[in-house]
Every structure is written in structure tokens, then in C-alpha cells.
Amino acid sequence: MLRSFFRTRGVRCLSSVRECEWTDMCDFFFFVFHLRHVEKFTDLMVNDVVTKDCYRADHLLGDRVEELLKDPMLKADRRRELEDMQARIDEFNPEQMAEALKNTETKAPTTNNDLCEPYPFNLMFPTQIGPSGAVKGFLRPETAQGIFVNFRDLLYYNGGKLPFAAAQIGQSFRNEIAPRAGLLRVREFTQAEIEHFVHPDHKNHPRFVEVADTVLNLFSQDAQLGEVKKPFLMTVGEAVSKGIIANETLGYFIARCHLFLLQIGIDTTRLRFRQHLKHEMAHYAADCWDAEIQCSYGWIECVGLADRSAFDLKAHSEKSNVELVAYERYAEPIQEEIVEVTPNKQAIGKAFKRDAKAVTDALAALNEADAFALRDVIEANGTAPLQTESGEMQIITGMVTVERVTKTVNGRNYTPSVIEPSFGIGRIMYCMFEHAFYIRPDDEQKTVLKLTPVVAPIKATIFPLVNDSALNELSVAMNKSLTSNGISAKLDTTAISIGKRYARTDELGVPFAVTVDHRSITDGTVTVRERDSCDQVRVPIPRVPELLRVLCAMTEDWATATASFEKQAVASDEA
Amino acid sequence: MLRSFFRTRGVRCLSSVRECEWTDMCDFFFFVFHLRHVEKFTDLMVNDVVTKDCYRADHLLGDRVEELLKDPMLKADRRRELEDMQARIDEFNPEQMAEALKNTETKAPTTNNDLCEPYPFNLMFPTQIGPSGAVKGFLRPETAQGIFVNFRDLLYYNGGKLPFAAAQIGQSFRNEIAPRAGLLRVREFTQAEIEHFVHPDHKNHPRFVEVADTVLNLFSQDAQLGEVKKPFLMTVGEAVSKGIIANETLGYFIARCHLFLLQIGIDTTRLRFRQHLKHEMAHYAADCWDAEIQCSYGWIECVGLADRSAFDLKAHSEKSNVELVAYERYAEPIQEEIVEVTPNKQAIGKAFKRDAKAVTDALAALNEADAFALRDVIEANGTAPLQTESGEMQIITGMVTVERVTKTVNGRNYTPSVIEPSFGIGRIMYCMFEHAFYIRPDDEQKTVLKLTPVVAPIKATIFPLVNDSALNELSVAMNKSLTSNGISAKLDTTAISIGKRYARTDELGVPFAVTVDHRSITDGTVTVRERDSCDQVRVPIPRVPELLRVLCAMTEDWATATASFEKQAVASDEA
């Protein structure tokens, strides 16, 4: 296999571009329009009728509804109507949006001018490919397509077996009408997507039991459209068994997403999973949830988790004329009755010469009813007309047999469903930073970034307590030892008080500090300090790397990992 | 600092886009034209005068010269001329290219038609940003610019000290006229760049001694333009001391690049560092070398290593009106004579009222000669005319003093130089795969990918020798133990012969195999096998993770790491 890869790869790549440009281009950043993107990557836009300034219709409507809802004199009916409108903004089509803008008398901001009718705006960046400028391309608005295009190879690598998943991370580009909210709505962003392919009738997940007890903050369709409009806590096991989450595999990924966000430091009280409303979801989607994180900009959609059924593979298959299916072997072979049309090639060849192929093709293309009709006519008249690519031909007795036969079928081809968790990396990181930031309650001047050990880029800072050559030497050795054990550390030898240096490392989000002092020289121990609790323990130098390794892998917490070490009191200037 | 970041970041980001769109856009994928890109990212193109098909002029000329050189009857003079042309193709301007195409009677391929005059074609992909379509943008053709734009922040993070380096990895986009050579010339590629900022007068490197003895295969300017046109072997220390490589820092990065390529498995006999020819280099570049790797497509430029002097920071500074400089404190303060123009603000305010600022601004802007001329005229006539933004004003005695003073100066601002190693990740990976592929000399059917442990995605495969529940159980435990020790492993329980399974794992490039057999149950040891030598040793189960960790970090080689273990003979079906 390798041999043929190296012999033919260059040629195959080029020829596949020629044969099927559309499919191949998807592999890269540029690709050509198809259904998913026309539908999905469109925003409704409105213009100020006087200044011609462009706005996103959903933003203006949202702001307007919020303003109207502030009116304390609002009648209950109207309030209910506006709240329903607010919940549905994302699912409006152009007509519904026009209606809602009229209903709320929404005007252009600052000028208060009238707005034009909302019209769709494609969010994909256009460009031209190649020297002639004739080939139009687009920047990809999502990373997913590369995986669908490579489905056949991926299935082959997995030995033809389902389920399997592929993941991808990269840049996506959307020509947002109004980039806003700082780092949260940008025109270029890093997206990470998993495409988990499953049998459409078997969406259970073998590892679901491991996460079934995870408690999620769920904002279901019913909760959003009900009177109270509040999310509720429920285990993912219960949510799946009650049909709130469509199936185990989707539930598994929602739970894993929840655990992932926890591990990187997202505050669970500011995390919820919001289900898409019926009309907000694409018609083919079985179920769809967004992980939303609350930050100073409000509730931000950071991860989308969707059961997209078989839509993507089918759409790619149609456009590229390449079958994107998996094969399923039946537990027991089944007997299937089929119609078999057998041409007598010799007789046909002799009679039709160069048109023989047209005749056999036409015979092979007959459906059941037509095949039997043809047979009946031949049986009755000895001859029957057949439409072929070369015109009408007369088929006579002996040229074809049509019969019903029973065949043993061992399996079938089917199009897998796909469960798609899609992560907005920039948004997650922004929320992570906001949730990590706090001010020590006892000292307004002390700010801390409580990055969890697994995400902190520097795991430990090493401090010689005072500037002393013996302590510096020990510190340098400790730094080397941590680095060679794969723990990213830095050395701080600046000659300011240890308290100030701790404050600085806390502000940078370094989770652990290792302090080398005079006792280190006499008894070979150092102080290890945890950032948030400010707890300190004495640890023998050779045991520091292993302790930090366990703490950074987050397989043990601080209390457990340090239970056997001597606690150390915190000096006044370190508090 | 953190507090203000979170309070103001959103606003600052948006306002900096408004204030200085050009600079800010560079941070992202889109950015607007500037000098470096007009000059650098242009190819010369020619058209078939009849069919209008586009070709890259350098490709056609290169092919034509190669064809002409094959003529055994070629005169020595003409051969020499063609070889010189071949060496210079990359540095031709449009006129020189036109001349060379005529000289060699180069025609369009396949049609043999005449070609038009070569003309430059910009390789950047254009797009439109925002809803109005009025803002023109380009996809970045290199990743470097983001680092230059962030220079001030980076310098601040490094405490204002030089040297320091920043690195970046991401996608770059070039609208190649003729993508070819399979995966090597594509329109979108992953680029990794380091920008190492140094003082222009001190380009030595503190760690140069560590690499000084590294032997490089150098293809210098002289070697390329000489009679023989062959690279030569020389230590980087000698090359720098002889001035073949411009300075220590550039030499350091060339050596580190060489060692990096070695570690990922590039064959040194197919690696050379080619120096750019004088005219091939940008006018501002001090020195420039390409790491070229030989593969089935010829010698491929995979890494560019350039001393770009202060060009990039100066260009960004000019366009954005933001000073991009570092401060240098003199070892000893120096005395500097300067001209001091001191306005009498009270007198000026009284005389000129609302025009007072225009007058003081005009005085402050005077150069040395004009300042003394103004003083002389006032001393002679009691008054002198001064051009200001508000028109000509009369300055009289007492309004200004001009004098020469001596000041103590502690340091100065300067624009740092930058050394830029730029890696084409896709090209390096392609060459790595080609160099890793081989066929076992003793068996044509056995192909191997000798990926080095550091790059192999799977480090070890675990094999139960036969399908037996006790062996399977031990194998699963071994798999878990390796995974939890950070060693990526996979389990192969298929019921085919161990020889065939070894062959399969060799073909996938897995460097080590761990085989669990019946002896494992009795004495607690397993077989560890090295892919390329097929050597096997018996290792106690608890010692396997540490052995593989050392081997995968490539800190010890196989012979050293396994010296203390029992050698095992290779069974006939495993050979």
C-alpha cells in the first residue's frame, strides 16, 4: 500500500482535482458553495433607508424587544408576545423577521430612520482562485467539510467498522456584518470539530455509563418556551431516558463537553446547555444543543452539539456522485425476492451489432413492472418494442428472460448518521480567562488568574528565597529537573520580597510555586505552594517532579497529593 | 494590569481597529498591502499567445534550459551560459526574464506557440470585508506580520530586553499560478515562523558554542556560481568565522534547523543549505539561506533562514506611525551637544493669543540652522518673520532663546534587526515521509516507515503472541500503563501470525513493539522489539514504560537503553 502511495500519490492528487474539483477543494480552505452553506451561513441584514448603513436584523430586533420589555406598564399579553419573539429571533425567516420588525416598530439606531425589508447576506468570504480569476472560491465557514469529504478513507482506516470519529481544528471565516463583543464575534476564528459517525438505528454509546451520573444545567425547548424560561439541573442519564436529549451518543458528548469545560476552569454555575428550538434547528437535525457560558457579554454560545442525522454525507454524495456509505452485515443472511432480467448476449449481438450495448443497457435499466410487461408482450406477440439510447428496437423471443428469483443477502449499504460537537476555541478561551480572574478578598491589590493546572502554560515558578549563590544553584537544578520531567517551569531570581513575587506569579496564573530556602541546603526539602489556597508543604527535592506531575495531570487534588508532607505556616509577608 | 485588561480590552480592541485599521488587521488573517508583499509575493507569468493559457515563466524557462543542456553537442561556452542562467532563474526581473526566454527560444508547452512578454502576477488572494463589499482585504501570504505588529507588546513582556524571539504557526495563502509537485506547491499551506530580535551591532549568540561543531552541507553563493556548482561540508563555527554565514545568530538557527531536521528523520545526505544569490535576496537582507531537502521531486526549499536586518519593523513603523524600537542604555553616559530652542510662553501668549500654539509649534520644529538664523535676524533687527500654521508671524526680542547646550545622554532608541527562520510544515512532512520509507533488503514485500520515535504518532504496538485470555488481559493492562505514562500505544489482538503483525506495524511507522507471551505469565517479562534493527530484548513489565519513555524522548539510543536486558533471538517467522 505504501509503495503504491509513493509511486502514484502525486499523479492521483492532481488528477482527482481535475476529475472532481468540488470534492477535492473541500479538503482545503477554499471550497465551493453547497446547500449547507447557503442555508446556514446567511444573516438577515437591514439598511437605514436614508444613510444606507447596514445592520444585522436580529441584533436590532433583539435590542428593541429588550427595550420594550423594560416598560413596567406593559400588558401581560404583550409581554408574553415579546418574550416569545425574543426566544425565536434566531429562527425567523425573512418574512417573519419583517413582520417582527414592523410589529415592534424597530428603527435604525442613532438616526431613528426607517429600515428597509430584511434581506439575506451570505457570510462566506469570496475570492478568486488561479491566475485567470475565473474560478470563484470561498473561505470555509466551518472546518467540518474536510472530514465528510474524507469519509471513505476514514472508514477504510477504521477497518470498515462503525462507530468511529474524526476530529479537526483550524481557522474558519465568516464575513460578519457587525463584529462585536470584543474577542467573541470575529471574522476569523479557530474552530475544533468532532464528527462521530454512527449507525442511524443504534445511537447508544458503549461508554455512556461512565458519564450517566453527570449533572447538567439543561435549558430544553420546553423550558425556553414555558412560562418561567429557566434551565434546570438533571443527570444526563435521566435526560436521555426521558427523551429530553435525543440519544446516548449525543448525551455522551454533551456530558464530555461539560467535563472538559469544568477541567479547563469554567464555572459550572455559569454554564448551561440550551436546546435549539424546533425551527431554529435545520430540518434534517435530530437534536441540537449549545453549551452557553455566561460572561460579562451575557450568555455566549461556545460549543454546538448536534445530531445532524445523515444530511452531510448525503449532500456530499449527491454533489460529487461518490457513494459515502458504510456496509452492514446482517446477523443472519436474509432471503430476498428480486426480479432478474437476463439478456441473451449472443442473440442480441448478432441481431443489433453496434447497437447491442444500448439494448443490454436498456434491459438492465428496466424496473420490475416494465420488465414483466416486456416479457408478456414478447410471449403474446413474439416481439416487443424497447426504447434504447439508439432508438426503438424490436426484442424477439429468446433474446431475454425475465424471472422472479430468491437470493441470499448478507448485508446492505447505509448512510451513517453524524453527531457533531463543534467548539469555538477563541470564545471558550475568552470565557475561561474571565472565569479565572478574581481579586483576593483580603487584599484588593492582589489579582489572581486561577487557571487550572492542565491549561496553565507555566506550571510552576521556582524562587530562591533570597539572592544567594547556593540557593540560586539549587533553584537552577530544580528548574532543569522539572523541565526534563516535562513540567513547564520558570525561574524568578529577582531580588524582591517573596510575597511580592508570589503575587506576581498568581497574577500570571501559575498554579504552583517551589521555594528554595536555607533549610533546603540542610535537609534537602523545598516549599511547594498552591496558588488559590496559598497552602504550603515541605517536599523532599527528589519527590517534587512526581508531585507536580500528578497535580498537573489533575489526577489527584492538592489535599490528597500532599497529605503525607509536612504543612508549613505562611509567613506574614506571603499572606 | 489584569484588572485594566478585563475592564478595557473589548473597547481597546475595537477602537484600535478604527484608529489604525492597517496595523490591527495584520493581527488576523486579512491584511492590507504593503511594500514587502508587493515586492516579494509576485510571480512572473507568460501567456500562450494563441490559447491564452497561463504559465509561470520561471518553470517554462527552467524546463527549456534543462532540455537544451541535454544536447551532447553543446559547445562549452553555451553550456556555461545556460548553467549560469539556470542558477539565476529565481532572481530575474521581467526584462531579464524576457531576454532569457528569447535567448533560449522558449515556447508554450504542448502547443509550441509563442509566448507573450512576462508580466508580474500578485500571489495574494483578494477578498472583500464587511457587508458593503467596499473594504478590500487579502489573505496573508506569510505568518510573520502578526509578530511585527505585536512587537511593542512582546518587548514589554520581555521586560524591554533584547534579544528575544516570538514564534507563530498557522495557515498562509498564495494564489500559485501553477500548483504542482503534488503536496509540495499548494495554494494554502502551514507555515511556522520564528522572529528573533537582536541588536544590529551584536549578532553573536550565547548558545552558539553548543552547536559550533555541527557539520553542515553548505551550498554558498560562491559554490553556486563557481565552475563545479557543488555544496561542501563545513562546521557552522568555521562558516561563521570565515564570513560564509553572516553572523553567529543566523549560524545558530541554521545549525538548530539542521539538528531539528535530523531528529525528525531527514537523511543528512539529502539535506543542504543553499545561500541566496546576491540579487535573489531582498535589498535589505544581510544574508539568507534555504534548507533544501532532496526528494523525488528534486531539491525542495523547506526552510528559509534570513537575517532581514531592520526592514520589517521600519516598514510597519512608517505605515502605522507607531515607533517600533528598543532602548539601549549606554555603558557610560555620554555628553552630547544639542541646540535648545526655548520659547517665552508668557510673551508669546500675550502677543499672539489664539495663534500662540502655532508659534510655539513652529519654533519647536526649527532645525539647527534655521534656529540660529532666526536668532541672528532678531539680534540684528529686533524682529524676524516666522512661518507658522496660522500664517507668517513676527517674532521679537525676548520671545525666544536659542543656545547650544551640552546634555548627558544615557542611551538611545534603535530599531532591532530580525533573524527569521521560516518553516514550510507540509513540505518538511512530505520529505520526512519520503525519507522514512524503505523496503527491507531481504524481503521485497516488507515496506517500512522509519519514523523517528519523536514524530511517530503511535510509539508502541502491544501484541498478545496468541489469542489467549490470560495474554489478552496482560496486554490490556500494558496498554493502560503505557497510555497513563503518556506513551501513545495501541493494541493488536488480531489472530494472525506475529511476523505478519510486526510487518503491519512496521509499515505504519510504529517504532516499538511489546509482545506478551506465555513466559510473561511465569516470569513477568515481555519482549520489546525495535522496528528497524528487528532487535528484541526481554524487559520486566514494570520497567517497560520508563524504557519506552527514554527511547521516545530520544535521549538514549536503543543499544544504550537496552544494554542491561536479556537479548532474545528472533524467531524465523518474525525475521
Side-chain angles (χ1 to χ4, degrees), chain A residues 59 63 66 178-186 270 272 292-302 426-435, chain B residues 3-15 18:
Chain A
H59 289 174
D63 292 349
E66 215 161 273
R180 62 179 193 177
L183 300 170
L184 295 177
R185 183 174 292 283
V186 288
R270 290 185 274 169
R272 71 183 184 195
E292 295 184 334
I293 304 176
Q294 194 181 30
C295 71
S296 55
Y297 289 101
W299 285 98
I300 304 299
E301 171 198 342
C302 289
R427 289 180 170 197
I428 294 172
M429 286 187 71
Y430 178 81
C431 292
M432 181 187 87
F433 280 117
E434 249 202 35
H435 287 201
Chain B
R3 211 175 324 217
S4 70
F5 174 86
F6 280 109
R7 291 212 183 117
T8 64
R9 194 66 185 177
V11 180
R12 275 174 53 204
C13 286
L14 289 175
S15 66
R18 259 182 257 120

Side-chain angles (χ1 to χ4, degrees), chain A residues 154-211:
Chain A
L154 294 167
L155 181 65
Y156 172 76
Y157 294 146
N158 203 46
K161 279 180 285 188
L162 251 69
F164 72 87
Q168 185 168 331
I169 183 165
Q171 299 305 109
S172 292
F173 304 86
R174 296 183 195 169
N175 196 1
E176 296 289 349
I177 298 172
R180 62 179 193 177
L183 300 170
L184 295 177
R185 183 174 292 283
V186 288
R187 288 189 170 130
E188 177 222 332
F189 56 99
T190 303
Q191 201 178 21
E193 289 180 310
I194 301 170
E195 304 296 338
H196 181 90
F197 296 98
V198 289
H199 192 293
D201 303 333
H202 309 293
K203 291 182 178 172
N204 51 334
H205 194 287
R207 295 178 63 186
F208 184 72
V209 287
E210 294 176 25
V211 298

Side-chain angles (χ1 to χ4, degrees), chain B residues 193-205:
Chain B
E193 288 180 309
I194 301 170
E195 305 295 337
H196 181 90
F197 296 98
V198 287
H199 192 294
D201 303 333
H202 309 294
K203 291 183 179 171
N204 51 335
H205 193 287

Side-chain angles (χ1 to χ4, degrees), chain A residues 303-374:
Chain A
V303 186
L305 301 118
D307 179 342
R308 300 179 53 78
S309 74
F311 177 76
D312 303 280
L313 288 178
K314 280 187 175 158
H316 276 273
S317 197
E318 265 166 36
K319 285 273 174 185
S320 63
N321 285 322
V322 174
E323 272 210 328
L324 299 175
V325 292
Y327 179 77
E328 159 182 38
R329 194 177 193 89
Y330 295 140
E332 295 285 326
I334 58 168
Q335 302 298 316
E336 219 170 69
E337 210 175 54
I338 58 162
V339 172
E340 209 169 63
V341 177
T342 317
N344 180 338
K345 287 200 178 165
Q346 207 183 351
I348 291 171
K350 211 170 162 186
F352 299 106
K353 305 257 160 28
R354 49 183 293 196
D355 291 328
K357 191 172 176 298
V359 171
T360 50
D361 284 354
L363 286 173
L366 289 176
N367 64 28
E368 186 175 326
D370 290 344
F372 281 113
L374 183 81

Side-chain angles (χ1 to χ4, degrees), chain A residues 462-479 491-493 501 514-522 525-526 538 541:
Chain A
I462 299 147
F463 300 100
L465 186 66
V466 292
N467 197 348
D468 170 300
S469 68
L471 299 191
N472 284 345
E473 213 170 281
L474 265 181
S475 301
V476 168
M478 172 61 71
N479 192 17
L491 192 62
D492 183 346
T493 56
R501 284 187 287 163
V514 177
T515 306
V516 178
D517 56 18
H518 293 291
R519 194 178 142 190
S520 307
I521 296 168
T522 54
T525 66
V526 291
R538 292 299 296 192
I541 290 172

Side-chain angles (χ1 to χ4, degrees), chain A residues 259-271:
Chain A
L259 295 169
F260 163 72
L261 293 172
L262 233 67
Q263 193 163 47
I264 66 163
I266 295 299
D267 174 4
T268 33
T269 66
R270 290 185 274 169
L271 169 63

Side-chain angles (χ1 to χ4, degrees), chain B residues 250-442:
Chain B
L250 184 58
Y252 175 77
F253 280 107
I254 292 176
R256 286 290 300 268
C257 172
H258 172 92
L259 294 169
F260 162 72
L261 293 172
L262 234 67
Q263 193 164 46
I264 66 164
I266 296 298
D267 173 5
T268 34
T269 65
R270 289 185 274 169
L271 168 63
R272 71 183 184 195
F273 289 88
R274 189 183 71 79
Q275 189 171 31
H276 279 206
L277 297 178
K278 286 246 157 53
H279 298 102
E280 186 183 354
M281 253 190 285
H283 62 90
Y284 48 80
D287 194 8
C288 188
W289 294 76
D290 286 342
E292 294 184 335
I293 303 176
Q294 194 180 31
C295 71
S296 56
Y297 290 101
W299 285 96
I300 304 299
E301 171 198 343
C302 290
V303 187
L305 301 118
D307 179 340
R308 301 179 53 81
S309 74
F311 177 77
D312 302 280
L313 288 178
K314 281 188 174 156
H316 276 273
S317 198
E318 265 167 35
K319 285 273 174 183
S320 63
N321 285 322
V322 174
E323 272 209 329
L324 298 175
V325 293
Y327 180 77
E328 158 182 39
R329 194 177 196 89
Y330 295 140
E332 294 285 326
I334 58 168
Q335 302 298 316
E336 218 170 69
E337 210 176 51
I338 58 161
V339 172
E340 208 170 65
V341 177
T342 317
N344 180 336
K345 287 202 177 165
Q346 207 183 351
I348 289 171
K350 210 168 163 187
F352 299 106
K353 307 257 161 24
R354 50 184 291 199
D355 290 331
K357 191 172 176 298
V359 172
T360 50
D361 283 354
L363 287 172
L366 289 175
N367 64 28
E368 184 173 329
D370 289 345
F372 281 112
L374 182 82
R375 185 189 66 173
D376 292 348
V377 175
I378 296 174
E379 274 179 9
N381 307 340
T383 178
L386 177 73
Q387 283 304 330
T388 76
E389 280 220 335
S390 311
E392 193 179 284
M393 304 285 169
Q394 288 299 323
I395 308 298
I396 62 167
T397 310
M399 279 185 181
V400 64
T401 57
V402 177
E403 52 192 348
R404 204 177 289 278
V405 296
T406 302
K407 275 211 163 175
T408 304
V409 182
N410 293 307
R412 65 166 184 127
N413 285 331
Y414 68 97
T415 306
S417 282
V418 68
I419 313 285
E420 177 188 276
S422 172
F423 299 78
I425 301 298
R427 289 180 170 196
I428 293 172
M429 286 187 70
Y430 177 80
C431 293
M432 181 186 87
F433 280 118
E434 248 201 37
H435 287 201
F437 173 73
Y438 71 98
I439 299 168
R440 290 217 190 268
D442 57 345

Side-chain angles (χ1 to χ4, degrees), chain B residues 118-318:
Chain B
Y119 59 95
F121 170 69
N122 189 279
L123 292 182
M124 293 197 293
F125 283 103
T127 190
Q128 292 90 44
I129 301 171
S132 69
V135 182
K136 194 162 187 177
F138 294 89
L139 298 187
R140 63 177 182 188
E142 57 176 6
T143 57
Q145 304 311 320
I147 297 175
F148 296 122
V149 168
N150 286 307
F151 173 76
R152 289 215 300 186
D153 282 346
L154 295 167
L155 181 64
Y156 172 77
Y157 294 145
N158 203 46
K161 281 179 285 187
L162 251 68
F164 72 87
Q168 185 168 330
I169 184 167
Q171 298 304 111
S172 292
F173 304 86
R174 296 182 195 168
N175 196 2
E176 296 289 350
I177 298 172
R180 61 179 194 176
L183 301 169
L184 296 176
R185 183 173 293 282
V186 288
R187 288 188 170 130
E188 176 222 332
F189 55 98
T190 303
Q191 201 179 21
E193 288 180 309
I194 301 170
E195 305 295 337
H196 181 90
F197 296 98
V198 287
H199 192 294
D201 303 333
H202 309 294
K203 291 183 179 171
N204 51 335
H205 193 287
R207 296 178 62 186
F208 185 71
V209 286
E210 294 176 24
V211 298
D213 292 337
T214 309
V215 176
L216 303 174
N217 191 22
L218 295 177
F219 200 19
S220 65
Q221 288 175 356
D222 288 351
Q224 291 169 66
L225 297 177
E227 284 280 348
V228 190
K229 301 189 195 305
K230 281 209 167 153
F232 53 88
L233 295 174
M234 188 182 272
T235 67
V236 64
E238 191 179 349
V240 169
S241 70
K242 284 191 169 160
I244 297 170
I245 294 174
N247 56 64
E248 273 191 8
T249 300
L250 184 58
Y252 175 77
F253 280 107
I254 292 176
R256 286 290 300 268
C257 172
H258 172 92
L259 294 169
F260 162 72
L261 293 172
L262 234 67
Q263 193 164 46
I264 66 164
I266 296 298
D267 173 5
T268 34
T269 65
R270 289 185 274 169
L271 168 63
R272 71 183 184 195
F273 289 88
R274 189 183 71 79
Q275 189 171 31
H276 279 206
L277 297 178
K278 286 246 157 53
H279 298 102
E280 186 183 354
M281 253 190 285
H283 62 90
Y284 48 80
D287 194 8
C288 188
W289 294 76
D290 286 342
E292 294 184 335
I293 303 176
Q294 194 180 31
C295 71
S296 56
Y297 290 101
W299 285 96
I300 304 299
E301 171 198 343
C302 290
V303 187
L305 301 118
D307 179 340
R308 301 179 53 81
S309 74
F311 177 77
D312 302 280
L313 288 178
K314 281 188 174 156
H316 276 273
S317 198
E318 265 167 35

